[in-house]
Amino acid sequence: MLRAISGVLIFLIGCQAPKYPEPVPVYTLSTSFDRSNIDQYLITLLGELDHEEAHALFYKGHTFVGSAKLAEGGIDNVQYNMYSALLQCAALQCDGVVLAHNHPSGYFAQPSVIDVKSAKTSWAYLNTYKIELITSIVVARYDTRWY
């Protein structure tokens, strides 16, 4: 048993330390509703992902009060339930939501027909509860598109 352990130790000592990727810069979202700040935050959060993710940013009177990841998807789609966003919004007592998701396959953000239809459905759902859908945003590697 000692030989096996010493063999593992010799193996581990002979190995080079693994190279870890550079840490992702942390970008915080300001409390005020500032489009360039929101764009930079979302590009930092979603721009480099190799899969789609949907996120919600919650506002109370255009003051940022929180955020949540709604869902993780594949390379070309993400499906999320607006009910989870509604619950988060109620917990934070917010009156406005920004919905964002990324398109990992491109460098330019362009909402698809399905994205626009989904935004209209989300608007109708949130409006039922007197919550404003402030905007929907598609995020690409270096670009955002508000719609």
Side-chain angles (χ1 to χ4, degrees):
M1 174 118 170
L2 184 57
R3 283 187 201 178
I5 293 173
S6 65
V8 170
L9 288 176
I10 291 170
F11 174 74
L12 290 176
I13 291 170
C15 292
Q16 290 184 349
K19 292 184 179 180
Y20 295 103
E22 292 294 318
V24 175
V26 177
Y27 195 89
T28 56
L29 197 55
S30 67
T31 56
S32 63
F33 189 86
D34 175 19
R35 182 175 175 148
S36 64
N37 180 252
I38 293 168
D39 285 346
Q40 188 60 47
Y41 173 78
L42 291 172
I43 288 171
T44 303
L45 181 68
L46 302 171
E48 297 289 329
L49 296 178
D50 61 355
H51 61 278
E52 287 199 21
E53 285 189 5
H55 287 255
L57 308 176
F58 302 105
Y59 288 85
K60 185 172 187 176
H62 289 289
T63 299
F64 175 72
V65 293
S67 66
K69 178 164 73 169
L70 300 178
E72 218 173 280
I75 186 72
D76 62 355
N77 68 52
V78 62
Q79 297 177 0
Y80 56 91
N81 185 341
M82 281 305 300
Y83 184 68
S84 62
L86 183 64
L87 290 177
Q88 292 273 349
C89 197
L92 295 168
Q93 299 178 343
C94 76
D95 54 18
V97 177
V98 171
L99 295 176
H101 75 282
N102 64 318
H103 284 179
S105 59
Y107 288 90
F108 301 103
Q110 182 63 39
S112 68
V113 172
I114 294 171
D115 293 338
V116 174
K117 185 176 178 179
S118 176
K120 288 178 182 178
T121 303
S122 298
W123 175 85
Y125 182 80
L126 291 170
N127 194 44
T128 303
Y129 297 97
K130 307 292 186 220
I131 297 169
E132 177 188 8
L133 176 58
I134 299 169
T135 190
S136 290
I137 305 172
V138 173
V139 180
R141 191 170 304 266
Y142 306 110
D143 189 26
T144 63
R145 182 70 48 99
W146 294 44
Y147 63 99

